[in-house]
Amino acid sequence: EDKVVQSPLSLVVHEGDTVTLNCSYEVTNFRSLLWYKQEKKAPTFLFMLTSSGIEKKSGRLSSILDKKELFSILNITATQTGDSAVYLCAVEDGGGSNYKLTFGKGTLLTVNP
Amino acid sequence: DGGITQSPKYLFRKEGQNVTLSCEQNLNHDAMYWYRQDPGQGLRLIYYSQIVNDFQKGDIAEGYSVSREKKESFPLTVTSAQKNPTAFYLCASSPLQGLQETQYFGPGTRLLVL
């Protein structure tokens, strides 16, 4: 059974801090790892990672994948109150002819002013 | 506007009642998915469909049913067999099966049992 574990489950920081969110996984046929940000409603896409060691960046957010150790990290530098959200990690299993995502429980990030 | 719509935004169910949640997309996506989210939990896959008239069970399909008669539509029925239906339900779609495309989510439906 596919498994995605995120840590920490929750985190409280002050504006300007840098945070690192972790995601480890076990999946039979790995295809990709995705990060989403969920505020009040639907998750919004942040990154898709398929290759080890290649950092993806978008503004203050960055993410990298280690396929040997089966984990990914999401970094947020110079955090702002608007970064407060649940960050979800999901892994795509490409086994057989069916493709589906398994999500972790998420990390609740609270950024205080 | 292109996108995924879900309705209603809030839905109330009485004990023993079946209810149907709507999900429509005009993105011409082949694959569609239903997830359930409980407080403090990640998203759990209920059902998914990658082609019209075909669908597969996800991790928590018991007590739910779906249909995929049209490419644009993937309604989810929460049956009376689902004993704990109160949750936030998210529908998603993705362009093509088998390719590394992200899923796009609808705004969600919150289901409450009276």
Side-chain angles (χ1 to χ4, degrees), chain A residues 11-55:
Chain A
L11 187 56
V12 181
V13 300
H14 291 288
E15 267 193 315
D17 289 349
T18 294
V19 297
T20 299
L21 311 182
N22 303 291
C23 176
S24 64
Y25 63 90
E26 294 173 27
V27 64
T28 307
N29 295 288
F30 177 87
R31 287 184 58 82
S32 65
L33 184 143
L34 298 96
W35 284 98
Y36 289 86
K37 177 182 181 181
Q38 185 177 25
E39 293 176 89
K40 297 225 181 282
K41 294 183 181 175
T44 54
F45 172 74
L46 294 174
F47 298 111
M48 175 182 281
L49 303 159
T50 57
S51 301
S52 272
I54 298 175
E55 186 182 51

Side-chain angles (χ1 to χ4, degrees), chain B residues 31-47:
Chain B
M32 297 185 76
Y33 309 81
W34 273 106
Y35 294 94
R36 169 182 172 139
Q37 188 175 34
D38 295 281
Q41 301 283 331
L43 279 65
R44 291 184 290 166
L45 183 64
I46 305 173
Y47 268 99

Side-chain angles (χ1 to χ4, degrees), chain B:
Chain B
D1 285 353
I4 303 175
T5 56
Q6 290 184 242
S7 62
K9 189 174 178 181
Y10 295 96
L11 185 59
F12 299 93
R13 193 192 93 163
K14 293 181 182 177
E15 294 283 345
Q17 189 180 44
N18 291 355
V19 292
T20 297
L21 284 61
S22 167
C23 177
E24 304 276 332
Q25 53 98 2
N26 61 4
L27 300 168
N28 199 34
H29 286 174
D30 289 299
M32 297 185 76
Y33 309 81
W34 273 106
Y35 294 94
R36 169 182 172 139
Q37 188 175 34
D38 295 281
Q41 301 283 331
L43 279 65
R44 291 184 290 166
L45 183 64
I46 305 173
Y47 268 99
Y48 61 110
S49 166
Q50 294 176 318
I51 194 169
V52 173
N53 292 323
D54 187 43
F55 47 83
Q56 287 79 41
K57 291 183 179 180
D59 301 315
I60 55 164
E62 187 175 347
Y64 300 97
S65 66
V66 292
S67 63
R68 187 85 186 277
E69 296 176 3
K70 298 187 298 182
K71 189 176 184 179
E72 312 81 58
S73 178
F74 191 40
L76 173 75
T77 297
V78 184
T79 74
S80 57
Q82 171 50 241
K83 297 307 176 191
N84 185 22
T86 296
F88 186 53
Y89 290 87
L90 281 161
C91 178
S93 68
S94 64
L96 291 168
Q97 80 177 54
L99 295 183
Q100 291 166 345
E101 297 281 353
T102 186
Q103 292 182 11
Y104 298 83
F105 288 86
T109 292
R110 193 165 297 278
L111 176 61
L112 297 166
V113 175
L114 299 177

